[in-house]
Amino acid sequence: MMKTRIKLIASLIFVSILFVLSAVIVPKRPAHLSVAGETVTVREFDGCTIGGVSTNLSDESVRMFLDGYFGIHLGSYISYERFEDAKKALDNGLVSGIWAVDITAAKLTQSGEYVALSPAETPGQGQTNFSFGFAFAPSNRELRDQANAFLAGVPLAHQPGGTLTIGVTGAVPPLEEVDAFGNANGSSLTLAKEFASYLGRKSIIVVLQNDSALVDLMAGRVDMLATYGTSENHSLTETKYLMSDGYQEISEYQLIVRKEGAEKMQGLLNAIKENLISGGAYRLIFKAAFVSLAIFLLSALIAGILSYVLLLLSGIRHKALRNLAGGIIFLLKSTPVLLLMLVLFYGFFSSRHSSFISAIVAIGFYGAGMLTGEFLDKHIEVPHSFNGKAVLSLLTSRSARKIFILQLQWTTIVGYLGVNDITQVLKTIGNRTLYPLFSITCSILFYLIVVLLLEWLPCSDKADPKH
Amino acid sequence: MSTGVSRRKLSLRIGAGIAALVLFAALFFFFILLIKVKGQFGYLYNFFVKTDGSLPVSTYETMEPVSHNVPYAVPSTKPERFLASTKLEVEGLIVTDYQRPAPIRLDESSVNLLSAHMGLLTFRGNYARTASSYQSVLDSATRLKKSWSFRTGRFLKDDGVNYWSGNGWTGQPIAVHWSNEWKAVMNLYPTACQKSDLTEIIYPGMDGKIHFLDIETGAETRPAINVGMIFKGTCSVHPTYPLLICGSGDSATGLFGEQICARIFIYSLIDGRKLYEFAANDPFSTRSWHGFDSSPIFAEEADTVIYPGENGVLYTLRLNTSFDKEHAILSIAPEQPVKYAYTSYAAGERFEASENGNGSGSESSPVVYDHYLFFGDNGGIFQCLDLNTMKPVWVQDLLEDINSSPVLEQDADGKWYIYVGTTLKFHYDTHHIGEAGIYKLNAQTGEIVWKKPYAVHTVLGLAGGVLASGASGCGEIADYLFYAISKVPSVESGYVVAISKTTGEEYWRYELPCDAWSSGCLVYTEDGHSRLVQCCGNGDVLLMDTLTGKVLSKVSYNSNIESTPAIVGNRIVVGLRSEYIVSMEIH
């Protein structure tokens, strides 16, 4: 009890220091481009930092594209997971401008707060350069043809029923937007839903990250993407994905800058307000905390069951089965959790909940490997017939608790698969509010609390007096 | 005894150590090889084996011309033997017969671009592609010296990952000495405008921009034009008006996966304004691939531009150019282009299905005489076209991809000949080795006079053979023709050769340690001698004696040079793939 109290006090001191630091230390901001009316030109962006929503191109490729398109030499480029995050970065002065297609720029400039700058020249200036349409996997040619018929207003001969899973990313407001709570809307989405009705199917909306949306489409997690770039001028000979006819014509990309410069903000209260309260952030954080805990508890359950089975196998006389168990334990212990998670995500699960399932299974497998190894190292024996009391005793041992805490810590990586856990959500909030350190500290606090809770739970065995 | 054992153990350990080192070195060498062949084991053979290199010349019987200077087909060059179909579009409609209302005719001075703006206005200086330098008769030419450099840039490729950089093939800079009258109305910076002897370098590049530089200092003479598409080939400037025409060599990509098709642009060099663009995503094309690397031809009298495309379409566009002298406004009112396209039996057999049918297009720059256009394509077809009826006159099959731009020249007897080279694309053996050649064609009939073949490698999508255009000598080297040949005899080497225009036999051959896509340029000395300037794939620039092939001087940039240099006086300007335009002086 005494030790727990010391840990609690130490944790509180650590977190307090982090909070104070994180509220004071904000990222270094580049010199902001001053916009005198609308006379500023794209050439003035030489050496500046530009932001934008993430795409399936690398940041370096996007930077190269922007350099070539606008005829400038950017200082750096930062991508954001959501368009809203990029806009917020512009508002806060983290970036000097953000790129957007003309329709998005037109929407933003309506408020009077922003100026949209066109490149001095583009191929086909003033004309349609490309369109947005629906994207399909190459195997879904029939669905693409039906989309073209729908867009052309051709009645459908038969209505097959079923569901149509529509992927949206929120990368092109107002065609599609996704708010902080994952609610999607926009004209493309409305059109996609009408297409589902046209087919007689029930529409299911899945929010995707823009940079991996095509991968999700190819993996069959969604039937179509509501908004992707099509072009009549397609010179590639290899068909990587299928596009419907366009429904929204685009002339050019533009750079958006703020008219009045960036908002200024600093201070602990401001950090709390911006990160934890504004825009209902607390609801999002609670939801994410629940996701993290669910992943932890379910993966711990898998670890417990699997380790029990492996221990049983390790204890039997049959040599081949014993060796097999040993091999599996080695494999599970040695494979990095992130890689195991990616293998499961890209190789085995293709449902729209696959990221969540992959995360649970991967962390569970890892925990099972570690837990079994720990028991074997300590020569803890398992009764050959099922004995609930003995199993409970094993799972509430100090060794098990150590592994469960490890599993809890590994849940921080599930954001790689697009799971909105506590780390991912707070990281996104931090990017948007320019208080990344503050939001990460909040994340650390969450994990400290859960670890303290786990430490506080009673154990079936006593601590080794030698340690 | 124990000493003996420990010695044996020591020997064993040393032996094992040496074996491990040898194994490690072998693995390292193998890994380097794998990198070189980009993981494609099928090409390993090419990195160990040399070809036979220079092969014996083949000569052919040709028929005696029935008349001078009027091209016609003989039985072996009848168009119907080679072309499966031809088609023609006039004012947006497919027609079978056509007669150009404002006939095209380029006399000798028009072909040689003896124009108002002086300099190098097109690839190889004129529309016969015979002027490899301008005003380059020098006191002496024994040494190269590096001068200025100018930073360019890169441009994202349409795969969204790789990028184009610097300047590419054929990528010759344009050099223009503007009159004071033109300079006064152009958007030149004051220092450039005031410079009486300004020679301006105009250089579209693979950074998607058109750069304007002072040939003497490398300083910008006016703002670069940001086009937003890349240029690999060589642009052309109108002989009279400050009009620039350039074609993009590849499509551009966007942030949502869209593809922006390559096209042809026309700019006013008075204010840098884009006047017109055309040829994007042309449904008349026989191929889906669009690219415009050719250097076009201005038929000034007919106010028409002639532009063969890699999309398999030959465009002729009447510009209706006008210049408002009072307000210094240059404008054009282009009519709809007259388009010619064809399919050939040969290309149908040679191209893969992925090339979308049997169409083939032109990357090389055409030559012209009077109203006859001579051009080759990447399916191996070389033809003479009547520009006023848009009908093929004669056709020849050169069997391989024609990347090298032809050279049109009249011999001492008044007969016209074409010199053109090929790259190995189709007829290679299981080891990717085959023949590429240099041909002499009778320009009147299309018959082959001689063929000088080379055994070359074609690996990793990079064809060996002749990508450079020939440099035709005069004076003491009047019978000399200089060519660079790639991937011969080894996959990582090349030749610079001097061959006889009369027989095709080599005068000399110099082996390079690299490819050479850049065309050689000739400069002359006041005492009647001459030098060849050859840029190489390893970044070397060589100054060679034309009679012996001896390297007199060399400078190195350690970067691939695909572009052909522009030489004006004793100044050389060329673009590197490493994102620099550089200049050298010949002393």
Side-chain angles (χ1 to χ4, degrees), chain B residues 22-89:
Chain B
V22 169
L23 185 69
F24 180 76
L27 282 173
F28 182 73
F29 177 70
F30 184 67
F31 184 66
I32 297 290
L33 263 180
L34 275 184
I35 292 172
K36 276 188 178 177
V37 299
K38 295 182 181 169
Q40 299 185 48
F41 292 95
Y43 295 126
L44 277 176
Y45 178 88
N46 299 80
F47 283 84
F48 289 103
V49 172
K50 285 189 174 185
T51 67
D52 294 336
S54 178
L55 302 174
V57 176
S58 305
T59 50
Y60 300 83
E61 287 294 318
T62 57
M63 297 175 76
E64 195 56 35
V66 290
S67 66
H68 280 301
N69 301 335
V70 180
Y72 63 95
V74 294
S76 63
T77 59
K78 294 273 186 201
E80 54 271 25
R81 278 196 67 197
F82 302 100
L83 302 186
S85 66
T86 60
K87 61 177 181 175
L88 198 57
E89 187 184 292

Coordinates of all heavy atoms in Angstrom, one line a residue, chain B residues 22-89:
Chain B
V22 N 35.7 -13.8 -48.2 CA 35.5 -14.0 -49.7 C 34.0 -14.2 -49.9 O 33.4 -13.6 -50.9 CB 36.2 -15.3 -50.1 CG1 35.8 -15.7 -51.5 CG2 37.8 -15.0 -50.1
L23 N 33.3 -14.9 -49.0 CA 31.9 -15.1 -49.2 C 31.2 -13.8 -49.1 O 30.3 -13.5 -49.9 CB 31.4 -16.1 -48.1 CG 29.9 -16.5 -48.2 CD1 29.7 -17.3 -49.4 CD2 29.5 -17.2 -46.9
F24 N 31.6 -13.0 -48.1 CA 31.0 -11.7 -47.9 C 31.2 -10.8 -49.1 O 30.2 -10.1 -49.6 CB 31.6 -11.0 -46.7 CG 31.0 -9.7 -46.4 CD1 29.7 -9.5 -45.9 CD2 31.7 -8.5 -46.7 CE1 29.2 -8.3 -45.6 CE2 31.2 -7.3 -46.5 CZ 29.9 -7.1 -45.9
A25 N 32.4 -10.8 -49.7 CA 32.7 -10.0 -50.9 C 31.9 -10.5 -52.1 O 31.3 -9.6 -52.8 CB 34.2 -10.1 -51.2
A26 N 31.7 -11.8 -52.2 CA 31.0 -12.4 -53.3 C 29.5 -11.9 -53.2 O 28.9 -11.6 -54.2 CB 31.1 -13.9 -53.3
L27 N 29.0 -12.0 -51.9 CA 27.6 -11.6 -51.7 C 27.4 -10.2 -52.0 O 26.4 -9.7 -52.6 CB 27.2 -11.9 -50.3 CG 26.9 -13.4 -50.0 CD1 26.7 -13.6 -48.5 CD2 25.6 -13.8 -50.7
F28 N 28.4 -9.4 -51.6 CA 28.3 -7.9 -51.8 C 28.3 -7.6 -53.3 O 27.5 -6.8 -53.8 CB 29.5 -7.2 -51.1 CG 29.5 -5.7 -51.2 CD1 28.6 -5.0 -50.5 CD2 30.4 -5.1 -52.1 CE1 28.5 -3.6 -50.6 CE2 30.3 -3.7 -52.2 CZ 29.4 -3.0 -51.5
F29 N 29.2 -8.3 -54.0 CA 29.3 -8.1 -55.5 C 28.0 -8.5 -56.1 O 27.4 -7.8 -57.0 CB 30.4 -8.9 -56.0 CG 30.6 -8.9 -57.5 CD1 31.0 -7.7 -58.1 CD2 30.3 -10.0 -58.3 CE1 31.2 -7.6 -59.5 CE2 30.4 -9.9 -59.7 CZ 30.9 -8.7 -60.3
F30 N 27.4 -9.6 -55.7 CA 26.1 -10.1 -56.2 C 25.0 -9.1 -55.9 O 24.2 -8.8 -56.8 CB 25.8 -11.5 -55.6 CG 24.6 -12.1 -56.1 CD1 24.6 -12.6 -57.5 CD2 23.5 -12.3 -55.4 CE1 23.4 -13.1 -58.0 CE2 22.3 -12.9 -55.9 CZ 22.3 -13.3 -57.2
F31 N 25.1 -8.5 -54.7 CA 24.0 -7.6 -54.4 C 24.1 -6.3 -55.2 O 23.1 -5.8 -55.7 CB 24.2 -7.2 -52.9 CG 23.1 -6.3 -52.4 CD1 21.8 -6.7 -52.3 CD2 23.5 -5.0 -52.0 CE1 20.8 -5.8 -51.8 CE2 22.5 -4.1 -51.5 CZ 21.2 -4.5 -51.4
I32 N 25.4 -5.9 -55.5 CA 25.6 -4.7 -56.4 C 25.0 -5.0 -57.8 O 24.4 -4.2 -58.4 CB 27.1 -4.4 -56.5 CG1 27.6 -3.9 -55.1 CG2 27.4 -3.3 -57.5 CD1 27.1 -2.6 -54.6
L33 N 25.3 -6.2 -58.2 CA 24.8 -6.6 -59.5 C 23.3 -6.6 -59.6 O 22.6 -6.2 -60.5 CB 25.3 -8.1 -59.9 CG 26.5 -8.2 -60.7 CD1 26.8 -9.6 -60.9 CD2 26.3 -7.5 -62.1
L34 N 22.7 -7.1 -58.5 CA 21.2 -7.2 -58.4 C 20.6 -5.7 -58.5 O 19.6 -5.5 -59.1 CB 20.8 -7.8 -57.1 CG 20.7 -9.3 -57.1 CD1 20.1 -9.8 -55.8 CD2 19.8 -9.8 -58.2
I35 N 21.3 -4.8 -57.8 CA 20.9 -3.4 -57.9 C 21.0 -2.9 -59.3 O 20.1 -2.3 -59.8 CB 21.7 -2.5 -56.9 CG1 21.5 -2.9 -55.5 CG2 21.5 -1.1 -57.1 CD1 22.4 -2.3 -54.5
K36 N 22.1 -3.3 -60.0 CA 22.3 -2.8 -61.3 C 21.2 -3.3 -62.3 O 20.7 -2.6 -63.2 CB 23.6 -3.3 -61.9 CG 24.8 -2.3 -61.5 CD 26.0 -2.7 -62.2 CE 27.2 -1.8 -61.8 NZ 28.4 -2.2 -62.4
V37 N 20.8 -4.6 -62.1 CA 19.8 -5.2 -63.0 C 18.4 -5.0 -62.4 O 17.4 -5.6 -62.9 CB 20.0 -6.7 -63.2 CG1 21.4 -6.8 -63.9 CG2 20.0 -7.5 -62.0
K38 N 18.3 -4.2 -61.3 CA 17.0 -3.9 -60.7 C 16.3 -5.2 -60.3 O 15.0 -5.3 -60.5 CB 16.2 -3.0 -61.5 CG 16.8 -1.6 -61.7 CD 16.0 -0.7 -62.5 CE 16.7 0.7 -62.7 NZ 16.1 1.6 -63.6
G39 N 17.0 -6.2 -59.9 CA 16.4 -7.4 -59.4 C 15.9 -8.3 -60.5 O 15.3 -9.4 -60.2
Q40 N 16.2 -8.0 -61.8 CA 15.7 -8.8 -62.9 C 16.9 -9.7 -63.3 O 17.8 -9.2 -64.1 CB 15.2 -8.0 -64.0 CG 14.0 -7.2 -63.5 CD 13.3 -6.4 -64.7 OE1 13.1 -6.9 -65.7 NE2 13.1 -5.1 -64.4
F41 N 16.9 -11.0 -62.9 CA 18.0 -11.9 -63.1 C 18.3 -12.1 -64.6 O 19.5 -12.4 -65.0 CB 17.8 -13.2 -62.5 CG 17.8 -13.1 -61.0 CD1 16.6 -13.0 -60.3 CD2 19.0 -13.2 -60.3 CE1 16.6 -12.9 -58.9 CE2 19.0 -13.1 -58.9 CZ 17.8 -13.0 -58.2
G42 N 17.3 -11.9 -65.5 CA 17.4 -12.2 -66.9 C 18.5 -11.3 -67.5 O 19.0 -11.6 -68.6
Y43 N 18.8 -10.1 -66.9 CA 19.8 -9.2 -67.4 C 21.2 -9.4 -66.9 O 22.1 -8.7 -67.3 CB 19.3 -7.8 -67.2 CG 18.0 -7.4 -67.9 CD1 17.0 -6.8 -67.1 CD2 17.9 -7.5 -69.2 CE1 15.8 -6.5 -67.8 CE2 16.7 -7.2 -69.9 CZ 15.7 -6.7 -69.1 OH 14.5 -6.3 -69.8
L44 N 21.4 -10.4 -66.0 CA 22.7 -10.6 -65.5 C 23.7 -10.9 -66.6 O 24.9 -10.4 -66.5 CB 22.7 -11.7 -64.4 CG 22.2 -11.4 -63.0 CD1 22.2 -12.6 -62.2 CD2 23.2 -10.3 -62.4
Y45 N 23.3 -11.7 -67.5 CA 24.2 -12.1 -68.6 C 24.8 -10.8 -69.3 O 26.0 -10.8 -69.6 CB 23.3 -12.9 -69.7 CG 24.1 -13.3 -70.9 CD1 24.8 -14.5 -70.9 CD2 24.1 -12.5 -72.0 CE1 25.5 -14.9 -72.1 CE2 24.7 -12.9 -73.2 CZ 25.4 -14.1 -73.2 OH 26.1 -14.5 -74.3
N46 N 23.9 -9.8 -69.5 CA 24.4 -8.6 -70.2 C 25.6 -7.9 -69.5 O 26.3 -7.2 -70.1 CB 23.3 -7.6 -70.4 CG 22.2 -8.3 -71.2 OD1 21.3 -9.0 -70.7 ND2 22.1 -8.0 -72.5
F47 N 25.6 -8.1 -68.2 CA 26.7 -7.4 -67.4 C 28.0 -8.1 -67.5 O 29.0 -7.6 -66.9 CB 26.2 -7.1 -66.0 CG 25.2 -6.0 -65.9 CD1 23.9 -6.2 -66.2 CD2 25.6 -4.7 -65.6 CE1 23.0 -5.1 -66.1 CE2 24.8 -3.6 -65.6 CZ 23.4 -3.8 -65.9
F48 N 28.0 -9.3 -68.0 CA 29.2 -10.1 -68.1 C 29.8 -10.2 -69.5 O 30.9 -10.6 -69.7 CB 29.1 -11.5 -67.5 CG 28.9 -11.4 -66.0 CD1 27.7 -11.5 -65.4 CD2 30.0 -11.2 -65.2 CE1 27.5 -11.5 -64.0 CE2 29.9 -11.2 -63.8 CZ 28.7 -11.3 -63.2
V49 N 28.9 -10.0 -70.5 CA 29.2 -10.3 -71.9 C 29.3 -9.1 -72.8 O 28.4 -8.2 -72.7 CB 28.2 -11.4 -72.5 CG1 28.4 -11.6 -73.9 CG2 28.3 -12.7 -71.7
K50 N 30.3 -9.0 -73.6 CA 30.4 -8.0 -74.6 C 29.9 -8.5 -75.9 O 30.1 -9.6 -76.2 CB 31.9 -7.5 -74.7 CG 32.4 -6.7 -73.6 CD 33.8 -6.2 -73.9 CE 34.3 -5.2 -72.8 NZ 35.5 -4.6 -73.2
T51 N 29.3 -7.5 -76.6 CA 28.8 -7.9 -78.0 C 29.9 -7.8 -79.0 O 31.1 -7.4 -78.6 CB 27.7 -7.0 -78.4 OG1 28.3 -5.7 -78.6 CG2 26.6 -6.8 -77.4
D52 N 29.6 -8.1 -80.2 CA 30.7 -8.0 -81.3 C 30.9 -6.5 -81.6 O 31.8 -6.2 -82.4 CB 30.2 -8.8 -82.5 CG 30.2 -10.3 -82.3 OD1 30.9 -10.7 -81.3 OD2 29.4 -11.0 -83.0
G53 N 30.1 -5.6 -81.1 CA 30.4 -4.2 -81.3 C 30.1 -3.8 -82.7 O 29.0 -4.0 -83.2
S54 N 31.1 -3.3 -83.4 CA 31.0 -2.8 -84.7 C 30.9 -4.0 -85.7 O 31.7 -4.8 -85.7 CB 32.2 -1.9 -85.1 OG 32.1 -1.5 -86.4
L55 N 29.8 -4.0 -86.5 CA 29.6 -5.1 -87.5 C 29.9 -4.5 -88.9 O 29.9 -3.3 -89.2 CB 28.2 -5.6 -87.4 CG 27.8 -6.1 -86.0 CD1 26.3 -6.4 -85.9 CD2 28.6 -7.3 -85.6
P56 N 30.1 -5.5 -89.9 CA 30.3 -5.0 -91.3 C 29.2 -4.3 -91.9 O 28.0 -4.5 -91.6 CB 30.6 -6.4 -92.0 CG 30.8 -7.4 -91.0 CD 30.1 -6.9 -89.7
V57 N 29.6 -3.3 -92.7 CA 28.6 -2.5 -93.4 C 27.9 -3.3 -94.5 O 28.5 -4.1 -95.2 CB 29.3 -1.3 -94.1 CG1 28.3 -0.4 -94.9 CG2 30.0 -0.4 -93.1
S58 N 26.6 -3.1 -94.6 CA 25.8 -3.7 -95.7 C 25.5 -2.6 -96.7 O 25.0 -1.5 -96.3 CB 24.5 -4.3 -95.2 OG 24.7 -5.2 -94.2
T59 N 25.7 -2.9 -98.0 CA 25.3 -1.9 -99.0 C 24.2 -2.5 -99.9 O 24.1 -3.7 -100.0 CB 26.5 -1.6 -99.9 OG1 27.1 -2.8 -100.4 CG2 27.6 -0.8 -99.2
Y60 N 23.4 -1.7 -100.5 CA 22.2 -2.1 -101.2 C 22.2 -1.5 -102.6 O 22.7 -0.4 -102.8 CB 21.0 -1.7 -100.4 CG 20.9 -2.3 -99.1 CD1 21.6 -1.7 -98.0 CD2 20.2 -3.4 -98.8 CE1 21.5 -2.2 -96.7 CE2 20.1 -4.0 -97.5 CZ 20.7 -3.4 -96.5 OH 20.7 -3.9 -95.2
E61 N 21.6 -2.2 -103.5 CA 21.4 -1.7 -104.9 C 20.3 -0.7 -104.8 O 19.2 -1.0 -104.3 CB 21.1 -2.9 -105.8 CG 22.2 -3.8 -106.1 CD 23.3 -3.1 -106.9 OE1 23.0 -2.3 -107.9 OE2 24.5 -3.3 -106.6
T62 N 20.5 0.4 -105.4 CA 19.4 1.4 -105.5 C 19.1 1.7 -107.0 O 20.0 1.6 -107.8 CB 19.7 2.7 -104.8 OG1 20.9 3.2 -105.3 CG2 19.9 2.4 -103.3
M63 N 17.9 2.1 -107.3 CA 17.5 2.4 -108.6 C 17.9 3.9 -109.0 O 18.0 4.7 -108.1 CB 16.0 2.3 -108.8 CG 15.5 0.9 -108.6 SD 13.7 0.7 -108.6 CE 13.4 0.8 -110.4
E64 N 18.2 4.1 -110.2 CA 18.6 5.4 -110.6 C 17.4 6.4 -110.6 O 16.4 6.0 -111.2 CB 19.2 5.3 -112.1 CG 20.0 6.5 -112.5 CD 21.2 6.9 -111.6 OE1 21.8 6.0 -111.1 OE2 21.4 8.1 -111.5
P65 N 17.5 7.5 -110.0 CA 16.4 8.4 -109.9 C 15.9 8.9 -111.3 O 16.7 9.1 -112.1 CB 16.9 9.6 -109.1 CG 18.1 9.1 -108.4 CD 18.7 8.0 -109.2
V66 N 14.5 8.9 -111.4 CA 14.0 9.4 -112.7 C 14.0 10.9 -112.8 O 14.0 11.4 -113.9 CB 12.6 8.8 -112.9 CG1 12.6 7.3 -113.1 CG2 11.7 9.2 -111.7
S67 N 13.9 11.6 -111.7 CA 14.0 13.0 -111.8 C 14.7 13.5 -110.5 O 14.7 12.8 -109.5 CB 12.6 13.6 -111.9 OG 11.9 13.4 -110.8
H68 N 15.2 14.7 -110.6 CA 15.8 15.3 -109.4 C 14.9 16.0 -108.5 O 14.0 16.7 -108.9 CB 16.9 16.2 -109.8 CG 18.2 15.5 -110.3 ND1 18.8 14.6 -109.4 CD2 18.8 15.5 -111.4 CE1 19.9 14.1 -110.1 NE2 19.9 14.6 -111.3
N69 N 15.1 15.8 -107.2 CA 14.4 16.6 -106.1 C 12.9 16.4 -106.0 O 12.3 17.2 -105.3 CB 14.7 18.1 -106.3 CG 16.2 18.4 -106.3 OD1 17.0 17.6 -105.7 ND2 16.7 19.4 -106.9
V70 N 12.4 15.5 -106.7 CA 10.9 15.2 -106.4 C 10.8 13.8 -105.9 O 11.1 12.8 -106.6 CB 10.1 15.3 -107.7 CG1 8.6 15.0 -107.5 CG2 10.3 16.7 -108.3
P71 N 10.5 13.6 -104.6 CA 10.4 12.3 -104.1 C 9.3 11.4 -104.7 O 8.3 12.0 -105.1 CB 10.1 12.5 -102.6 CG 10.5 13.9 -102.3 CD 10.3 14.6 -103.6
Y72 N 9.5 10.2 -104.8 CA 8.6 9.2 -105.4 C 8.9 7.8 -104.8 O 10.0 7.6 -104.4 CB 8.5 9.2 -106.9 CG 9.9 8.8 -107.5 CD1 10.0 7.5 -107.9 CD2 10.9 9.7 -107.7 CE1 11.2 7.0 -108.4 CE2 12.1 9.2 -108.2 CZ 12.3 7.9 -108.6 OH 13.5 7.5 -109.1
A73 N 7.9 6.9 -104.9 CA 8.2 5.6 -104.4 C 8.7 4.7 -105.5 O 8.2 4.8 -106.7 CB 6.9 5.0 -103.8
V74 N 9.6 3.8 -105.2 CA 9.9 2.7 -106.1 C 9.2 1.5 -105.5 O 8.6 1.5 -104.4 CB 11.5 2.5 -106.0 CG1 12.2 3.7 -106.7 CG2 12.0 2.2 -104.7
P75 N 9.2 0.3 -106.3 CA 8.4 -0.8 -105.8 C 8.7 -1.2 -104.4 O 7.8 -1.6 -103.6 CB 8.8 -1.9 -106.8 CG 9.1 -1.2 -108.0 CD 9.7 0.1 -107.6
S76 N 10.0 -1.1 -103.9 CA 10.3 -1.5 -102.6 C 9.9 -0.5 -101.5 O 9.9 -0.8 -100.3 CB 11.8 -1.8 -102.5 OG 12.5 -0.6 -102.7
T77 N 9.5 0.7 -101.9 CA 9.1 1.7 -100.9 C 7.7 2.2 -101.1 O 7.3 3.3 -100.6 CB 10.1 2.9 -100.9 OG1 10.0 3.5 -102.2 CG2 11.5 2.5 -100.6
K78 N 6.9 1.4 -101.8 CA 5.5 1.8 -102.0 C 4.8 1.9 -100.6 O 4.9 0.9 -99.8 CB 4.7 0.8 -102.8 CG 5.2 0.8 -104.3 CD 4.5 1.8 -105.1 CE 4.9 1.6 -106.6 NZ 4.6 2.9 -107.4
P79 N 4.1 2.9 -100.3 CA 3.4 3.1 -99.0 C 2.5 1.9 -98.6 O 2.5 1.4 -97.5 CB 2.6 4.3 -99.1 CG 3.4 5.2 -100.1 CD 3.9 4.2 -101.1
E80 N 1.8 1.4 -99.6 CA 0.9 0.3 -99.3 C 1.6 -1.0 -98.9 O 0.9 -1.9 -98.3 CB -0.1 0.0 -100.5 CG 0.6 -0.3 -101.8 CD 0.9 1.0 -102.7 OE1 1.0 2.1 -102.1 OE2 1.0 0.9 -103.9
R81 N 2.9 -1.1 -99.1 CA 3.6 -2.3 -98.7 C 3.8 -2.3 -97.1 O 3.9 -3.3 -96.5 CB 5.0 -2.3 -99.3 CG 5.1 -2.8 -100.7 CD 6.6 -3.1 -101.0 NE 7.1 -4.3 -100.2 CZ 8.4 -4.5 -100.0 NH1 9.3 -3.8 -100.6 NH2 8.7 -5.6 -99.3
F82 N 3.8 -1.1 -96.6 CA 4.1 -1.0 -95.1 C 2.9 -0.4 -94.3 O 2.8 -0.8 -93.1 CB 5.3 -0.1 -95.0 CG 6.5 -0.5 -95.7 CD1 6.9 0.0 -96.9 CD2 7.3 -1.6 -95.1 CE1 8.0 -0.4 -97.6 CE2 8.4 -2.0 -95.8 CZ 8.8 -1.5 -97.0
L83 N 2.1 0.4 -94.9 CA 1.1 1.1 -94.1 C -0.2 0.3 -94.2 O -0.7 0.1 -95.3 CB 0.9 2.5 -94.5 CG 2.1 3.4 -94.4 CD1 1.8 4.9 -94.7 CD2 2.8 3.3 -93.1
A84 N -0.8 -0.1 -93.1 CA -2.0 -0.8 -93.1 C -3.2 0.1 -93.4 O -4.2 -0.2 -94.0 CB -2.2 -1.5 -91.8
S85 N -3.1 1.4 -92.8 CA -4.1 2.4 -93.1 C -3.5 3.7 -92.8 O -2.5 3.9 -92.1 CB -5.3 2.1 -92.1 OG -4.9 2.4 -90.8
T86 N -4.2 4.7 -93.4 CA -3.9 6.1 -93.1 C -5.2 6.8 -92.9 O -6.2 6.4 -93.4 CB -3.1 6.8 -94.3 OG1 -4.0 6.8 -95.4 CG2 -1.8 6.2 -94.6
K87 N -5.1 7.9 -92.1 CA -6.3 8.7 -91.9 C -6.0 10.1 -91.8 O -4.9 10.5 -91.4 CB -7.2 8.2 -90.8 CG -6.5 8.2 -89.4 CD -7.5 7.8 -88.3 CE -6.9 7.9 -86.9 NZ -7.8 7.6 -85.9
L88 N -6.9 11.0 -92.1 CA -6.7 12.4 -92.2 C -7.9 13.1 -91.6 O -9.1 12.8 -91.8 CB -6.6 12.7 -93.7 CG -6.0 14.0 -94.1 CD1 -4.5 14.2 -93.5 CD2 -5.9 14.1 -95.6
E89 N -7.6 14.1 -90.7 CA -8.7 14.9 -90.2 C -8.5 16.4 -90.5 O -7.4 17.0 -90.3 CB -8.7 14.8 -88.6 CG -9.9 15.5 -88.0 CD -9.9 15.4 -86.5 OE1 -10.0 14.3 -85.9 OE2 -9.7 16.5 -85.9

